[in-house]
Amino acid sequence: YRRFTGTFYNALQTNTALPKGQRTPLNSNLQSLAGFEFNTHSPFADYCKMSFDCVLNATHDVTITIPEFIPKTDLIWPVNADQAELVLYMYATNLENHTRDVTHFTVLPIAKINTPIPETTWTSPILPVGYFVVVCSKLLYYTPNAITTRNYLNSKTLNPSSIVFAGVVA
């Protein structure tokens, strides 16, 4: 959490028009949070070779576009993994009263194949004005299991996850 709070603090410092005590996520440029890696042992950018397009629309919703990709070559696969889930989740909160009001996610199942997966687009519900929005991505690797359905291979050292987008609904 210290790496994240340091990165967040640096993003707040980008608003040089206001004195330090008046800078908030609502009046600062938070774009530098995009690309933040939650796990330095397995950076998401090392495991996922494609980039996502994430846009906060004028209609107060978020659209995420995953380009067409070939799973076998555009993802790095750990030993024994032949299945994965690409999880994209969005968290939106009202920083004025510290309530969490909107959490949404989508899961894209992926098999280790050479066949392209077509472009995928996901759009969130409409978000309230003034909400702080963070979109994160995560790869969950697994092997199929007849009893538990999935044996996830992610661990403390293998857990690729990063921030794709951070901003405020205006």
Side-chain angles (χ1 to χ4, degrees):
Y1 72 93
R2 288 187 179 132
R3 282 187 318 101
F4 178 72
T5 55
T7 302
F8 196 86
Y9 178 78
N10 290 338
L12 291 178
Q13 298 311 306
T14 62
N15 184 354
T16 57
L18 292 174
K20 284 187 180 181
Q22 295 177 6
R23 298 174 189 172
T24 71
L26 301 177
N27 63 25
S28 299
N29 182 353
L30 301 174
Q31 291 177 2
S32 62
L33 293 178
F36 176 82
E37 296 285 352
F38 287 107
N39 190 327
T40 57
H41 298 291
S42 53
F44 186 83
D46 289 353
Y47 283 80
C48 182
K49 301 301 179 187
M50 69 261 191
S51 59
F52 311 129
D53 184 30
C54 190
V55 178
L56 179 59
N57 301 308
T59 53
H60 300 170
D61 55 14
V62 174
T63 300
I64 302 169
T65 304
I66 303 167
E68 178 181 284
F69 68 99
I70 299 172
K72 193 167 186 177
T73 58
D74 290 328
L75 296 178
I76 301 300
W77 294 85
V79 176
N80 299 330
D82 56 358
Q83 302 287 320
E85 296 171 333
L86 174 60
V87 180
L88 293 168
Y89 52 100
M90 180 194 72
Y91 174 79
T93 187
N94 180 338
L95 294 177
E96 299 282 324
N97 61 16
H98 305 289
T99 58
R100 179 184 68 167
D101 290 323
V102 183
T103 305
H104 291 281
F105 67 93
T106 186
V107 177
L108 178 64
I110 304 169
K112 186 178 178 181
I113 56 176
N114 276 324
T115 307
I117 293 181
E119 179 178 279
T120 306
T121 301
W122 177 79
T123 302
S124 76
I126 295 174
L127 303 168
V129 173
Y131 272 47
F132 171 60
V133 179
V134 176
V135 177
C136 299
S137 59
K138 181 173 188 153
L139 279 170
L140 292 172
Y141 295 102
Y142 66 92
T143 57
N145 180 302
I147 297 171
T148 62
T149 312
R150 296 181 175 108
N151 285 337
Y152 286 101
L153 303 172
N154 289 52
S155 65
K156 185 176 181 177
T157 56
L158 175 67
N159 198 17
S161 180
S162 72
I163 294 176
V164 177
F165 171 84
V168 176
V169 181

